[in-house]
Amino acid sequence: MSETGTTADSSLFLDDVFEYVEAHRDGFVQRFLEYLRLPSISAHGAGMDQVVAYIGNEMSSMGLEVQLVPTPGGPMVLGRSGHVTDAPTVLLYG
C-alpha cells in the first residue's frame, strides 16, 4: 500500500504485483512443481530434511538470511530480509 493508504493506491500497487506475477509465471510454476515433486509427509516426518533444504536454498537465492529452526514437530525455515527494514512478514506453514 502506498503512503497515503487509499484504496486507489492499493489497486495500483496490486496491478504492479499482478503484472510481475504474470511476467514471471513460467518460473514460478516450475519452482512450484519442483517443490511438489519432493517426496514428503510432514505428519510422519518423511522427507522433511530434503524439503527444508529446498526451501532454505530457495529463500537464500532470493537474498534472504535463512535460519533452520528445529522444533518438536518438525523443522522450520526462517527467512529474514536484513536489507529491507520495512519489508512485510510472510509466514508459510505446512
Side-chain angles (χ1 to χ4, degrees):
M1 191 179 301
S2 77
E3 292 179 12
T4 58
T6 66
T7 303
D9 294 330
S10 297
S11 295
L12 292 175
F13 173 76
L14 284 176
D15 288 344
D16 292 341
V17 170
F18 293 141
E19 183 178 316
Y20 182 86
V21 169
E22 186 62 34
H24 297 87
R25 176 192 300 219
D26 292 342
F28 291 146
V29 169
Q30 288 306 311
R31 285 199 340 231
F32 187 55
L33 291 174
E34 286 176 24
Y35 171 73
L36 291 177
R37 287 185 188 109
L38 297 173
S40 66
I41 303 172
S42 61
H44 299 276
M48 295 308 295
D49 290 339
Q50 185 180 7
V51 171
V52 165
Y54 177 84
I55 296 296
N57 287 335
E58 286 296 307
M59 293 170 72
S60 182
S61 73
M62 294 176 201
L64 298 175
E65 300 166 12
V66 176
Q67 180 182 359
L68 305 181
V69 182
T71 70
M76 291 189 318
V77 182
L78 177 62
R80 291 191 174 102
S81 176
H83 60 277
V84 181
T85 56
D86 60 346
T89 298
V90 177
L91 174 65
L92 303 175
Y93 176 79

